[in-house]
Amino acid sequence: MAPIECLADKLEAPALDDRSYRVIRLPNKLEALLVHDPDTDKASASVNVNVGSFSDADDMPGMAHAVEHLLFMGTEKYPVENAYNQYLTAHSGYSNAYTASTETNYFFEVAASSEIAGSDAPTNGSPSSPLYGALDRFAQFFIAPLFLSSTLDRELKAVDSENKKNLQSDNWRLSQLNKSLSNPKHPFHHFSTGNLETLRDEPRKRGVEIRDEFINFHDKHYSANRMKLVVLGRESLDELENLVADLFSGVRNKDLPENRWDGVQPYTEREALTQVFAKPVMDSRMLDIYFPYQDEEHLYESQPSRYLSHLIGHEGPGSILAYIKAKGWANGLSAGAMPICPGAAFFTISIRLTEDGLKQYKEVVQVVFQYISLLRETPPQEWIVNEIKGMAEVDFRFKQKTPASSFTSKLSSVMQKPLPREWLLSGSRLIRKFDPQAISKALTYLRTDNFRLTIVSRDFSGNWDQKERWYGTEYKCEPMPEEFVKAVKEAGNSTASDRLAELHLPHKNEFIPTKLSVEKKESEEPAKAPKLIRHDEGIRTWWKKDDRFWVPKANVYVTIRSPLVSATPANTVKTKLYCELVKDALVEYSYDAEIAGLDYGLGAFTQGLDIDVSGYNDKMSVLLEKVLVSMRELEVKLDRFRIVKERLLRGYRNWDFQQPYRQVGDFTRWLVTENGWINAQYLAELPHLTPEDISAFFPQLLRQMHIEVLAHGNVYKEDALRITDLIESVLKPRALPQSQWQVRRNLILPEGSDFTYSRTLGDPANVNHCIEYYVYVGSIADQALRAKLLLLAQTTDEPGFDQLRTKEQLGYIVFTGARLAATTMGYRVIIQSERSPEYLEKRINAFLANFAISLKEMSLEQFESHKKSLINKRLEKIKNLGQESGRFWSHITSEYFDFMQVENDVAHLKPLTKEDLVAFFNRYIHPLSTARAKLSIHMVAQLSPKAIAGTIDSAEQKGKVVTLLGKYLNSLGLAVDSEKLEERFEDVDVTGGDQRGIIKAIEAYLSEDIKLEDGRAKDVIEQGQQLLGTVLPSLGIEVLPANMEDGEDAKSDDVPVTKTTTFIENVHEYKAELQVSAGARPVKDLSEFEDMEPKL
């Protein structure tokens, strides 16, 4: 056997990177990047395969995606379908995968050691190492997957459910519209996700054995030489190399060529100079310009598109956006290269239009081409490239670690690019040279005869005459009018004498950081909490000098506490509108800071206003002062007010068109909070607000407040105090006494209660229902109870997913776990599904009742494994400065100030016994517990069978089903005796959706009444089941799956009989009946955090 080849053992890495790297190639030509991180608490691996949806067969779209799903369903060495995920869950891990155009990416992460986090036990790459076990199971995906027939239908339903989840998503709809209107000879034209029609029903009609097709796809496209592997662990590089050689040498090498589509482009002359008008689901207005562009994968040293995107996408003075925003035509603009596949790319410019901008979209396009003419006329500027290049170098030099699986997944994808292996970490991040010829060539693609427009609006132009096949997007496609084409050409050929004077190149960026020094003082252990360095009636300032990441960055978080903000929905909307107006006024100024790595945020939250400034600390105070002054001196201009208000109004209206699972949590939060509002209440207030309302409101808001500050990072104590003084001196507020602060409280669900709140979804075209099933547990401050809740969430994580999604196929979105509110906590299950919320509720009850048995029968070894896994998750190391700042700030804003929460959780987890958890489950969670308190939120789709059923009575439903089945049998050439067929249905609960009973009635009719041979009868039944899945819901009948009723996965007798629920009809009355929790209080006196002495 050929030796393992070392391709690189020194990679260009960030200055603070303490990892070591090696790139190897196995004899089977599988290439691997090995990463030794001695301090990591998570190991990870990712395989990227150079095959994706572009390789789907034309008559079976979605194949690559379906194969990705099926690889998780068992291998020859590990045939149990959920063995992989069970193993990962037991070792603090998880996995995921995605299918893209030319690649499929699989990844996982797992505990780096079999010991509890914090111990120094060696791993040595031994078979007992969690990484070894995970990697062994993972490698088998690519060696010997089973493609089990028993899992095939279920996983195809999972793919179908994933597709249905996206049907009302404008991102997916508009992306597919662009693809569907592209060159049919290029695979960009494909529908990539797939559904039951493309992957099962249509192929079966053609006589295709679909399992064989998936096996053939894997065999044809999955080859070791097309795979890039990244493995990260504590093990040494030699140990990792031995692991990879041992476990991945069995992957077959078929010497397949790189997937390329040379000689054909996504757009041809037919697509050029056309305009597509598309109707979105949400109320949005976009103008997208698509230029066919060069593939830049070999131009990694100069990356000319970054020069173009920097200038075309600029938001400062002289830019396209600055001009069209001043005209009232646009709110935002982005630009950049969009790689399609090797050999093809687009350069895209996307503009968020206002109502006036939509009417003037032709003028907007002309402004874009005038700016492009300016770039052609002006030689490529080396100082601009140096600015981009310099910031890229600073960003890379101080790049911090990311979560293990994010790192391996991204790097395995990067490895598919033709980069020198030494540059895998830096290649796409750094610009290495100024190449004016490459920039000039790149500009040649941005021509007036080489683009297509897409105009997205719900009411413009209004006469859409076509529907896209896969998502149903309404659109109209037509050639651009001749006058428009002529005007664009004139704009593209404009010169300095006739070009808009307002368009010019940006000035030099004064926000580029120059002070990048960090004083590094080693300490035995990083401080677990910030110090309280100012504490008076008006202000609390928390500070921590970074003592673990050593980057020249900081995060400053400010809360302006005011009871005015959330006193009424109108006040909350005024505050949000005020924040949006301030940000709108700062766009040109703050853009330079943004591209120099310094960002700010401003927003409303329940206790007041939040301001944050994050990034390189050098010029941080300059930006913060500008934000504060803008807040104080905001001039509410009528033209900008109208535009910003309309944008906010659309946001509130569009809320109803989100995925149901993204909506349901807001209603749960509303129903468990003493004071709070929902989207509909905000929407009711906004239309009535005037500029005068905002002008009168915000000075009141800023007049009296309490200020809370966290300064964390490369800042000294004096810096933090100066920042506090800056806030105080600019805003000059009166102190808000603590007696006037809002007390955050949650509602307590009474013992033995069961509430249900039902809400019809606002999107009439959405087919998915959603449920959040919430069981109240108690006070979030009860650390012993919290530990039990977290451990329950850990133990139900994999079984919940396996049962409710994988086996029962209730929907693509399935989540089980803890819900932590301001002062209370509970256990929740969220499912988004085509099944009714009532049915989902029954299945959740059945899952929990069955889990009670599993928990009781769980071995001590399994229980301890779950405990260890959870402890390792809780003790997982913070990866970067932002994570630590976020953790500190969450403890501060919670008002518990429990900076040792992780350690406290672990201390309460360690002594827990299985008996403790069983007792906890039986009291608080079990559906038959008389003590448990539950709240269910039902989000009901307008297209649901339940809604349809209101117009059809049960006798009519049954009659129509029998008639349709008779027509179906007739269509197959079978004799139909209507009287006998009706008799077979006398005792069948058609209205209740008893599909099993319906099928048994048909089976009896076929075998006993018309004596049909068994083989033919089986075919008739199989095809008939597909018909029932469509017909029954259309008649208002909720379908009970026939394949689940006989099996062990969803037996009707496994549903426990629970107490009758109380439906919430009046939310005010419901809240008035409930007790409220105690408010949040510090876990220890704040004086214990104080450090008031001046720093020497």
Side-chain angles (χ1 to χ4, degrees):
M1 181 184 284
I4 294 172
E5 187 181 355
C6 179
L7 303 181
D9 59 3
K10 281 188 172 55
L11 270 62
E12 187 174 38
L16 299 169
D17 194 340
D18 58 356
R19 293 166 169 164
S20 49
Y21 301 89
R22 181 184 299 165
V23 184
I24 62 170
R25 185 185 291 130
L26 299 182
N28 62 1
K29 295 189 180 178
L30 185 146
E31 192 178 335
L33 168 61
L34 313 174
V35 186
H36 165 60
D37 186 339
D39 297 321
T40 188
D41 49 11
K42 283 292 178 77
S44 177
S46 174
V47 166
N48 188 285
V49 190
N50 174 220
V51 63
S53 60
F54 279 14
S55 299
D56 289 346
D58 289 339
D59 60 357
M60 218 168 155
M63 284 185 73
H65 184 210
V67 167
E68 172 225 302
H69 274 249
L70 290 163
L71 290 198
F72 286 82
M73 293 292 108
T75 61
E76 287 181 14
K77 187 172 181 180
Y78 297 100
V80 178
E81 64 183 59
N82 62 331
Y84 174 61
N85 284 328
Q86 274 184 334
Y87 181 89
L88 294 177
T89 302
H91 293 88
S92 313
Y94 75 96
S95 69
N96 212 334
Y98 67 82
T99 303
S101 301
T102 61
E103 64 182 25
T104 307
N105 191 292
Y106 303 84
F107 55 91
F108 72 81
E109 68 176 49
V110 72
S113 167
S114 56
E115 304 301 315
I116 285 182
S119 68
D120 296 320
T123 52
N124 300 324
S126 68
S128 63
S129 154
L131 176 59
Y132 182 94
L135 209 55
D136 187 19
R137 288 161 175 79
F138 186 53
Q140 294 301 311
F141 283 22
F142 313 103
I143 296 171
L146 287 175
F147 292 96
L148 291 167
S149 299
S150 59
T151 67
L152 192 64
D153 210 51
R154 281 193 271 115
E155 280 311 300
L156 293 183
K157 285 178 180 174
V159 170
D160 189 65
S161 181
E162 184 177 352
N163 178 60
K164 283 175 176 165
K165 171 181 73 72
N166 300 328
L167 288 178
Q168 291 299 101
S169 163
D170 281 327
N171 284 341
W172 286 89
R173 291 166 69 90
L174 296 172
S175 171
Q176 186 60 52
L177 178 62
N178 187 29
K179 293 162 73 173
S180 294
L181 294 177
S182 67
N183 179 8
K185 294 180 180 178
H186 194 283
F188 181 69
H189 184 76
H190 284 179
F191 165 51
S192 58
T193 310
N195 57 30
L196 279 179
E197 178 191 359
T198 67
L199 294 168
R200 187 190 69 183
D201 301 345
E202 287 300 321
R204 279 181 178 169
K205 285 179 186 176
R206 300 194 302 269
V208 172
E209 179 49 63
I210 57 173
R211 178 173 178 267
D212 291 347
E213 291 300 309
F214 296 127
I215 292 171
N216 292 341
F217 185 94
H218 187 275
D219 190 57
K220 179 180 178 182
H221 293 290
Y222 277 58
S223 171
N225 74 304
R226 276 187 176 174
M227 296 180 189
K228 309 297 181 186
L229 167 68
V230 180
V231 183
L232 179 152
R234 284 188 193 174
E235 292 81 355
S236 70
L237 292 177
D238 289 342
E239 288 165 348
L240 291 173
E241 183 172 313
N242 290 336
L243 262 178
V244 168
D246 180 29
L247 299 175
F248 283 87
S249 291
V251 181
R252 284 176 55 206
N253 176 30
K254 300 156 194 172
D255 274 324
L256 300 178
E258 178 195 24
N259 266 319
R260 298 189 65 89
W261 289 268
D262 296 316
V264 59
Q265 287 293 316
Y267 282 2
T268 63
E269 290 182 4
R270 186 173 65 90
E271 285 76 38
L273 298 182
T274 57
Q275 54 185 16
V276 179
F277 296 92
K279 183 181 181 182
V281 171
M282 291 194 176
D283 188 4
S284 60
R285 293 182 293 268
M286 292 292 297
L287 169 64
D288 292 324
I289 308 175
Y290 293 91
F291 295 91
Y293 187 68
Q294 63 184 348
D295 172 20
E296 286 191 351
E297 66 174 14
H298 289 284
L299 299 174
Y300 47 80
E301 291 190 81
S302 59
Q303 299 178 59
S305 65
R306 286 175 68 173
Y307 179 86
L308 303 186
S309 61
H310 174 78
L311 295 175
I312 294 172
H314 210 281
E315 298 179 12
S319 65
I320 297 170
L321 180 63
Y323 179 80
I324 58 180
K325 184 170 175 281
K327 297 287 285 185
W329 293 345
N331 289 313
L333 181 151
S334 60
M338 173 181 154
I340 302 298
C341 63
F346 290 127
F347 190 92
T348 65
I349 302 172
S350 293
I351 302 169
R352 294 198 308 275
L353 297 173
T354 63
E355 289 181 290
D356 286 344
L358 187 63
K359 297 169 189 170
Q360 306 292 335
Y361 82 93
K362 294 177 182 177
E363 283 72 12
V364 172
V365 174
Q366 290 169 56
V367 173
V368 170
F369 276 98
Q370 284 208 26
Y371 194 87
I372 291 171
S373 76
L374 166 68
L375 298 185
R376 281 211 191 85
E377 184 179 276
T378 312
Q381 301 293 295
E382 188 169 6
W383 73 266
I384 293 177
V385 172
N386 286 340
E387 216 173 63
I388 303 168
K389 179 172 173 285
M391 270 314 304
E393 288 166 356
V394 169
D395 287 340
F396 182 70
R397 178 182 167 193
F398 296 108
K399 187 177 185 308
Q400 299 172 78
K401 288 181 181 177
T402 54
S405 57
S406 300
F407 174 83
T408 57
S409 175
K410 181 166 180 59
L411 260 292
S412 65
S413 176
V414 169
M415 288 177 74
Q416 297 287 2
K417 302 182 187 304
L419 288 165
R421 302 294 91 172
E422 292 80 7
W423 290 356
L424 286 176
L425 300 175
S426 62
S428 58
R429 296 179 180 276
L430 298 183
I431 295 176
R432 299 170 193 279
K433 66 179 183 182
F434 171 58
D435 187 340
Q437 289 76 28
I439 293 170
S440 296
K441 183 185 176 186
L443 268 168
T444 64
Y445 290 90
L446 275 53
R447 303 192 310 273
T448 56
D449 63 347
N450 186 49
F451 71 96
R452 180 166 81 184
L453 294 180
T454 300
I455 300 97
V456 178
S457 166
R458 291 186 75 177
D459 48 26
F460 186 87
S461 62
N463 53 340
W464 309 280
D465 55 5
Q466 296 181 73
K467 274 194 175 184
E468 193 276 324
R469 175 181 176 184
W470 301 110
Y471 289 81
T473 305
E474 294 180 72
Y475 72 95
K476 179 175 71 173
C477 182
E478 63 185 21
M480 289 169 53
E482 285 185 21
E483 303 80 15
F484 185 20
V485 173
K486 182 181 177 184
V488 168
K489 285 185 177 177
E490 287 176 0
N493 292 326
S494 62
T495 61
S497 60
D498 55 4
R499 187 181 303 121
L500 291 166
E502 293 89 342
L503 299 179
H504 57 80
L505 295 183
H507 51 66
K508 291 192 174 178
N509 190 343
E510 300 301 327
F511 275 101
I512 299 287
T514 53
K515 296 176 183 175
L516 297 168
S517 59
V518 178
E519 183 186 4
K520 186 172 181 179
K521 288 184 177 179
E522 295 290 353
S523 57
E524 284 188 18
E525 187 179 357
K528 296 283 179 68
K531 297 288 188 183
L532 185 54
I533 59 173
R534 179 170 170 183
H535 189 190
D536 52 46
E537 187 183 35
I539 295 175
R540 280 197 303 234
T541 299
W542 299 84
W543 160 78
K544 182 190 169 187
K545 174 77 170 68
D546 174 40
D547 56 2
R548 64 167 80 192
F549 301 109
W550 316 116
V551 289
K553 294 183 176 184
N555 297 305
V556 173
Y557 298 145
V558 183
T559 279
I560 293 174
R561 191 176 275 107
S562 168
L564 283 178
V565 171
S566 56
T568 65
N571 275 13
T572 303
V573 176
K574 287 176 192 175
T575 308
K576 290 182 178 180
L577 192 47
Y578 163 64
C579 292
E580 291 303 312
L581 286 163
V582 172
K583 290 190 286 188
D584 184 72
L586 281 169
V587 167
E588 286 188 34
Y589 180 86
S590 64
Y591 186 73
D592 274 353
E594 183 184 330
I595 58 178
L598 189 57
D599 291 317
Y600 84 98
L602 175 65
F605 90 121
T606 53
Q607 305 298 299
L609 278 177
D610 269 349
I611 309 166
D612 63 88
V613 182
S614 302
Y616 296 103
N617 57 278
D618 181 16
K619 311 274 192 342
M620 182 169 275
S621 293
V622 177
L623 178 60
L624 177 59
E625 182 175 12
K626 181 68 174 180
V627 172
L628 293 167
V629 169
S630 299
M631 289 172 62
R632 185 190 68 198
E633 298 180 357
L634 176 69
E635 181 186 350
V636 183
K637 297 176 181 176
L638 180 60
D639 59 338
R640 296 313 301 171
F641 175 84
R642 285 174 176 164
I643 288 170
V644 172
K645 177 183 172 181
E646 191 275 335
R647 188 172 71 210
L648 193 59
L649 192 62
R650 279 188 291 125
Y652 285 137
R653 286 174 179 156
N654 287 338
W655 189 91
D656 279 336
F657 292 87
Q658 294 179 101
Q659 293 281 347
Y661 79 94
R662 296 189 183 278
Q663 299 182 40
V664 71
D666 276 24
F667 292 105
T668 310
R669 197 174 302 113
W670 181 46
L671 293 168
V672 300
T673 304
E674 182 186 19
N675 297 308
W677 318 111
I678 54 172
N679 185 76
Q681 293 167 309
Y682 300 142
L683 181 57
E685 297 297 333
L686 182 55
H688 306 291
L689 297 183
T690 65
E692 292 74 26
D693 291 327
I694 307 304
S695 295
F697 177 72
F698 84 80
Q700 295 177 41
L701 186 62
L702 301 181
R703 187 171 298 139
Q704 188 176 25
M705 65 181 73
H706 178 266
I707 299 168
E708 189 116 42
V709 180
L710 169 67
H712 175 224
N714 190 37
V715 288
Y716 290 98
K717 184 176 179 180
E718 291 83 356
D719 299 325
L721 290 170
R722 272 195 291 271
I723 286 169
T724 307
D725 291 342
L726 173 65
I727 298 166
E728 192 175 27
S729 64
V730 172
L731 298 181
K732 297 183 173 63
R734 283 178 55 221
L736 182 75
Q738 193 169 20
S739 60
Q740 296 181 36
W741 298 6
Q742 280 185 304
V743 178
R744 300 171 72 196
R745 299 179 190 272
N746 287 115
L747 299 172
I748 298 173
L749 299 184
E751 189 172 295
S753 62
D754 191 306
F755 295 103
T756 299
Y757 179 78
S758 184
R759 186 97 173 189
T760 301
L761 289 159
D763 182 358
N766 179 70
V767 298
N768 285 307
H769 309 278
C770 188
I771 183 174
E772 179 162 353
Y773 177 111
Y774 171 75
V775 184
Y776 171 80
V777 168
S779 168
I780 200 170
D782 186 332
Q783 294 177 343
L785 204 57
R786 175 188 166 95
K788 292 171 188 174
L789 174 62
L790 294 175
L791 185 55
L792 175 68
Q794 159 70 26
T795 55
T796 59
D797 181 40
E798 192 281 329
F801 188 87
D802 182 56
Q803 181 63 36
L804 299 172
R805 180 182 149 173
T806 305
K807 287 191 170 73
E808 295 193 28
Q809 285 296 311
L810 295 179
Y812 183 74
I813 301 296
V814 173
F815 170 81
T816 62
R819 173 185 257 283
L820 306 178
T823 58
T824 60
M825 60 187 175
Y827 179 82
R828 67 173 171 180
V829 181
I830 293 176
I831 304 176
Q832 179 172 296
S833 172
E834 291 182 77
R835 315 308 307 280
S836 73
E838 293 84 359
Y839 180 77
L840 299 176
E841 181 125 12
K842 289 178 182 177
R843 298 316 311 151
I844 294 168
N845 282 333
F847 164 69
L848 292 175
N850 287 325
F851 181 77
I853 299 168
S854 301
L855 181 60
K856 188 177 179 181
E857 295 174 351
M858 185 181 289
S859 70
L860 186 59
E861 183 185 7
Q862 287 175 310
F863 178 79
E864 290 299 326
S865 174
H866 277 299
K867 239 168 72 173
K868 183 172 71 174
S869 179
L870 177 57
I871 288 171
N872 281 338
K873 283 180 186 174
R874 296 300 291 138
L875 293 174
E876 185 175 342
K877 291 179 181 178
I878 291 171
K879 302 294 187 295
N880 51 57
L881 186 71
Q883 279 188 2
E884 186 172 44
S885 298
R887 180 177 290 185
F888 288 157
W889 193 236
S890 70
H891 292 314
I892 291 167
T893 56
S894 76
E895 298 182 52
Y896 284 106
F897 304 95
D898 190 4
F899 298 108
M900 298 297 289
Q901 187 183 75
V902 167
E903 291 77 7
N904 290 332
D905 283 344
V906 170
H908 284 84
L909 282 166
K910 284 182 176 178
L912 283 182
T913 64
K914 192 181 93 169
E915 290 70 27
D916 293 333
L917 194 60
V918 168
F920 169 83
F921 183 88
N922 288 339
R923 183 186 187 311
Y924 291 100
I925 312 297
H926 199 297
L928 297 181
S929 167
T930 57
R932 84 160 185 169
K934 182 180 74 68
L935 168 67
S936 284
I937 314 297
H938 292 182
M939 307 294 289
V940 183
Q942 292 186 36
L943 287 180
S944 67
K946 184 179 178 182
I948 299 166
T951 62
I952 308 174
D953 65 36
S954 57
E956 187 182 357
Q957 283 176 328
K958 180 180 279 193
K960 288 193 173 186
V961 169
V962 173
T963 300
L964 283 166
L965 288 171
K967 288 180 179 178
Y968 163 66
L969 296 175
N970 255 327
S971 72
L972 298 176
L974 300 175
V976 177
D977 184 328
S978 300
E979 203 170 300
K980 287 187 177 180
L981 190 58
E982 284 176 17
E983 286 175 9
R984 292 290 177 187
F985 279 84
E986 279 182 4
D987 299 323
V988 179
D989 183 11
V990 172
T991 302
D994 182 7
Q995 191 175 176
R996 175 191 172 201
I998 295 170
I999 289 169
K1000 283 190 175 296
I1002 299 171
E1003 285 175 341
Y1005 176 78
L1006 295 176
S1007 61
E1008 297 173 26
D1009 294 335
I1010 65 172
K1011 314 293 184 189
L1012 194 65
E1013 62 189 53
D1014 289 348
R1016 180 83 196 283
K1018 186 179 178 183
D1019 290 341
V1020 171
I1021 293 294
E1022 189 174 307
Q1023 292 178 49
Q1025 274 188 249
Q1026 297 171 28
L1027 176 71
L1028 288 174
T1030 303
V1031 168
L1032 296 183
S1034 73
L1035 295 174
I1037 299 168
E1038 185 68 40
V1039 188
L1040 302 179
N1043 66 327
M1044 283 166 36
E1045 292 188 3
D1046 280 328
E1048 60 183 5
D1049 300 328
K1051 295 175 287 192
S1052 58
D1053 60 2
D1054 68 350
V1055 180
V1057 179
T1058 56
K1059 62 177 77 75
T1060 303
T1061 193
T1062 300
F1063 284 92
I1064 300 170
E1065 305 291 346
N1066 184 311
V1067 173
H1068 179 77
E1069 290 178 2
Y1070 151 81
K1071 289 189 175 187
E1073 291 176 358
L1074 301 184
Q1075 298 289 321
V1076 295
S1077 69
R1081 296 182 63 190
V1083 295
K1084 61 182 183 179
D1085 194 282
L1086 295 188
S1087 62
E1088 296 186 41
F1089 298 107
E1090 288 182 353
D1091 177 13
M1092 301 301 186
E1093 297 302 317
K1095 185 171 178 290
L1096 298 176

